[in-house]
Amino acid sequence: MLAVENLEVVYNDVVLVLRGISLEVPDGSVVALLGANGAGKTTTLRAITGLLDIHEGEVTKGRVTWNGENITDLDPSRRVGLGISQVMETRRIFGEMTVDENLTAGGYVRGGDTVIRDKVYSLFPQLEERRRSVAGYLSGGEQQMLAIGRAMMQQPDLLILDEPSLGLAPRLVQEVRDIIAEINEQGTSVLLIEQNAMMALSIAHHGYIMETGKLVMDGKPEKLLADDDVREFYLGIGGEGDGGRRSFRDVKHYKRRKRWLS
Amino acid sequence: MLVDWLSLGSIYALLAVGFVIIFKSTQVLNFAHGALAALGAFLVASMATILQIPGRWMGSAPVWLKWTSSALVALAAAALIGLILERLFIRPMLGEGLFSVAIVTLGLDIVIRTVSNDFMGTNPRPLGFPGGTASLDLGWVVIPWNVVVSVIVTLVAVVLIATFFLSRTGVAMRATAFDQEAARAQGINVGRIFSLAWAIGSVMAAVAGIFLSVFPRRSTGVDTATAFLAFAAFPAIILGGLDSIVGAVVGGYAIGLAQAAVTEFLSNNPSFAFLGSGFGGVVPYVLMLLVLLIKPYGLFGTEEIRRV
Ligand SMILES: Nc1ncnc2c1ncn2[C@@H]1O[C@H](COP(=O)(O)OP(=O)(O)OP(=O)(O)O)[C@@H](O)[C@H]1O
Ligand SMILES: [Mg+2]
């Protein structure tokens, strides 16, 4: 189980971006982390996977644990070794290399990999057809599949995806969603970071909603989907005659949960 | 002229390949490469003729075997030096811009040259390259064996390196070069990749340094001017394109050919003497300027297929 406890992150020693985030991803589940642009979703991902340093970011408070072990200061490659993999925002495939080589790079930490590679290709048959193509010339959808496949080469226990639906046509969004559901069915826990709340909540077991560095709400997808404010802000439904609302904070009846704060 | 071409070409090609390996995998423009070449040659000279390691323990083994063993020991030392330099001076710059790291390597260049010149003193140090005067007689041309060896070594090195870049570790290295953060996100230990690239690059520099000390001036060994001579490899690198191994080899032999041809031409045509006797040495730089004007990515360099 992944647990993020009361996490604070500061960029460049001054910009406080996460202000006490607590969330957990139980084994075998799909958890959605929703939030608007700049809420701090990617920052949360970086803190979990250890990539804050190149962005001049630092965890100043709280911790990240994985199966009870504190991994807050662990090297990124060690975290991948422990079973936490990620699909970065905007895919970040290795554009000058072939599809096959992208998978090789993905599986590098795991050593010999033909069996895993076959499994990944069975998940993405259209990638196998193009295994010798240069990855930079794949379509956006194919590149997203490749980014997911590359991470799956690490045989993760937990896969974190940062906005995998970004820039994809609705049909492809469905396809990505189905792939994520299948990956989960095969035993990998998923933390799904999304702005597309409908897509994420349709497969999540639990959802968190984040706003300017804080979690403002969490619960079962049914509950979140039924909530008027979620409907208004993330699904664009309802909210007539109330155009003045800018954020959850302004909503009187929202219930903030601070489960880890004590 | 053929001999001049092949020997110059091999040197430039080897230097360029080493430089490209470091650039390709770590995005560092290593301006200390020439200094590393000279240092490598000096290491070979020390092992082979001064310290006689491991020859002194090899009894009556043939001379070429003793020399080759010394060269291997020296190359291992060069690899180690590459590792240490990377760890001390390049690693802390991880994530900084291309330009600031290039400045650090310029500093390294000066430091390495100063230190190794101190050790070397003013006299050239002979490398004791065996079979110094023997030649291969093909009937229509006579080529010294050491030139033949240099061409073979260059080609073998290039094939080995091209194969390496297709291997798992080579792929991880290319991934790191393309997108360091994304490589780290895959769990690739970028620090280890950097070490490896610098070790390989330094060995390539040292190999080039050996030939550099033997051929261009029909010289007797490595001296304080060796590092300076290595600078002439930059035009080859630019011509081939900064990130292409094949380009480095083609660029190396092309520049070598141009330099050898012009030098030959000048020595046969006294009416061009006004250009000066060293004009052949300027040719590489003239070509470099032309390439930069016409095709800034070089003949084989990638023009960027970055994220779409
Ligand atoms: N390297 C950085 N230095 C300083 N501030 C940063 C840095 N990276 C992000 N931020 C700031 O931190 C805040 C959160 O950014 P983050 O990228 O985590 O948001 P996000 O929820 O992922 O947004 P998006 O949906 O647009 O991807 C933003 O205000 C952003 O400007
Ligand atoms: Mg983001």
Side-chain angles (χ1 to χ4, degrees):
Chain A
M1 184 177 86
L2 176 81
V4 172
E5 301 170 19
N6 198 20
L7 198 67
E8 269 189 21
V9 170
V10 171
Y11 282 118
N12 302 313
D13 293 327
V14 281
V15 196
L16 180 64
V17 170
L18 295 189
R19 320 186 220 184
I21 297 282
S22 297
L23 58 82
E24 52 184 45
V25 184
D27 290 344
S29 65
V30 177
V31 171
L33 177 59
L34 308 172
N37 289 112
K41 305 181 296 296
T42 300
T43 304
T44 309
L45 165 78
R46 287 176 187 152
I48 297 171
T49 56
L51 292 179
L52 279 172
D53 55 359
I54 25 180
H55 298 275
E56 308 293 326
E58 201 188 348
V59 173
T60 48
K61 212 172 169 190
R63 58 183 201 148
V64 180
T65 69
W66 173 242
N67 297 329
E69 183 190 345
N70 185 353
I71 59 166
T72 319
D73 298 318
L74 227 51
D75 198 67
S77 63
R78 296 275 313 280
R79 303 188 207 208
V80 173
L82 288 174
I84 304 175
S85 293
Q86 64 175 313
V87 177
M88 298 169 83
E89 195 171 2
T90 67
R91 335 193 202 299
R92 301 283 282 270
I93 53 148
F94 302 119
E96 285 171 6
M97 310 199 313
T98 65
V99 168
D100 243 353
E101 288 172 336
N102 268 268
L103 295 189
T104 302
Y108 181 65
V109 280
R110 283 279 180 257
D113 61 14
T114 41
V115 182
I116 319 167
R117 188 183 301 258
D118 288 345
K119 263 171 80 177
V120 168
Y121 276 136
S122 71
L123 210 53
F124 303 105
Q126 70 269 51
L127 282 186
E128 184 159 25
E129 285 163 24
R130 312 204 51 183
R131 56 193 294 170
R132 310 241 173 272
S133 315
V134 174
Y137 296 133
L138 297 180
S139 73
E142 289 166 335
Q143 291 193 4
Q144 187 62 63
M145 302 297 177
L146 180 57
I148 298 175
R150 181 177 66 177
M152 289 310 290
M153 288 297 290
Q154 294 140 31
Q155 295 181 287
D157 297 318
L158 168 67
L159 182 64
I160 311 177
L161 302 101
D162 195 352
E163 302 200 38
S165 76
L166 196 73
L168 298 186
R171 191 181 54 78
L172 284 169
V173 174
Q174 299 302 313
E175 211 172 301
V176 167
R177 186 197 62 176
D178 294 344
I179 293 277
I180 296 170
E182 190 174 339
I183 287 171
N184 178 245
E185 263 162 39
Q186 291 174 6
T188 304
S189 318
V190 173
L191 176 57
L192 178 53
I193 297 174
E194 264 300 342
Q195 292 201 42
N196 185 335
M198 198 54 125
M199 178 272 213
L201 291 176
S202 72
I203 52 168
H205 303 111
H206 197 91
Y208 292 87
I209 294 179
M210 195 172 182
E211 206 170 87
T212 52
K214 288 194 164 180
L215 291 176
V216 290
M217 191 178 206
D218 81 280
K220 295 243 165 298
E222 308 84 67
K223 174 189 152 196
L224 295 179
L225 284 168
D227 188 278
D228 282 345
D229 304 309
V230 176
R231 291 167 69 83
E232 183 183 343
F233 289 112
Y234 291 95
L235 306 175
I237 312 167
E240 298 97 327
D242 207 0
R245 279 190 199 165
R246 273 281 158 268
S247 87
F248 268 114
R249 298 256 168 63
D250 307 327
V251 182
K252 267 179 286 171
H253 65 260
Y254 98 77
K255 301 170 282 292
R256 190 187 306 206
R257 293 184 60 181
K258 292 180 171 177
R259 288 184 302 173
W260 301 95
L261 283 173
S262 48
Chain B
M1 191 199 103
L2 179 71
V3 171
D4 284 343
W5 170 42
L6 290 179
S7 50
L8 279 175
S10 297
I11 291 168
Y12 293 158
L14 282 169
L15 284 168
V17 166
F19 182 93
V20 167
I21 284 171
I22 290 182
F23 179 70
K24 206 171 149 79
S25 31
T26 65
Q27 300 287 302
V28 175
L29 294 167
N30 179 23
F31 289 110
H33 207 71
L36 283 175
L39 178 63
F42 177 59
L43 285 171
V44 173
S46 309
M47 295 300 171
T49 63
I50 305 167
L51 302 172
Q52 295 189 6
I53 296 173
R56 59 171 70 209
W57 302 296
M58 289 173 71
S60 58
V63 178
W64 66 266
L65 186 61
K66 283 186 178 174
W67 190 87
T68 310
S69 312
S70 299
L72 290 178
V73 171
L75 293 185
L80 192 67
I81 288 172
L83 279 180
I84 294 171
L85 289 178
E86 188 276 324
R87 194 67 217 225
L88 289 183
F89 301 104
I90 307 297
R91 189 78 60 88
M93 302 295 290
L94 210 109
E96 302 285 330
L98 196 70
F99 199 67
S100 10
V101 188
I103 299 291
V104 170
T105 67
L106 273 176
L108 271 182
D109 175 67
I110 294 168
V111 172
I112 297 171
R113 271 193 293 159
T114 313
V115 172
S116 50
N117 287 354
D118 270 357
F119 274 106
M120 252 184 301
T122 43
N123 296 324
R125 302 281 184 154
L127 267 66
F129 201 71
T133 51
S135 291
L136 172 69
D137 192 345
L138 290 176
W140 54 281
V141 68
V142 180
I143 307 174
W145 269 111
N146 52 22
V147 173
V148 177
V149 169
S150 76
V151 174
I152 294 173
V153 167
T154 307
L155 297 182
V156 167
V158 167
V159 170
L160 282 181
I161 280 160
T163 316
F164 168 75
F165 272 116
L166 294 175
S167 73
R168 295 172 47 77
T169 308
V171 166
M173 212 178 238
R174 279 154 63 205
T176 306
F178 185 78
D179 187 338
Q180 216 176 88
E181 187 183 12
R184 287 177 84 205
Q186 311 310 313
I188 293 171
N189 189 328
V190 170
R192 214 175 288 163
I193 297 285
F194 270 44
S195 304
L196 188 60
W198 276 77
I200 298 176
S202 304
V203 169
M204 295 298 296
V207 172
I210 295 175
F211 296 122
L212 193 57
S213 318
V214 179
F215 304 138
R217 299 160 295 159
R218 305 281 185 278
S219 68
T220 38
V222 52
D223 63 15
T224 49
T226 304
F228 180 73
L229 284 175
F231 257 100
F234 277 100
I237 296 162
I238 304 280
L239 176 64
L242 285 174
D243 61 353
S244 165
I245 300 282
V246 175
V249 177
V250 175
Y253 282 107
I255 298 282
L257 176 62
Q259 185 175 343
V262 170
T263 309
E264 174 93 356
F265 176 80
L266 290 180
S267 66
N268 293 339
N269 294 274
S271 49
F272 286 92
F274 66 90
L275 286 171
S277 61
F279 188 73
V282 182
V283 170
Y285 299 98
V286 174
L287 280 174
M288 175 170 80
L289 285 177
L290 284 178
V291 173
L292 283 175
L293 286 174
I294 300 164
K295 213 169 177 315
Y297 290 104
L299 296 176
F300 295 87
T302 25
E303 303 190 9
E304 301 229 346
I305 330 172
R306 290 282 147 157
R307 278 143 247 146
V308 192

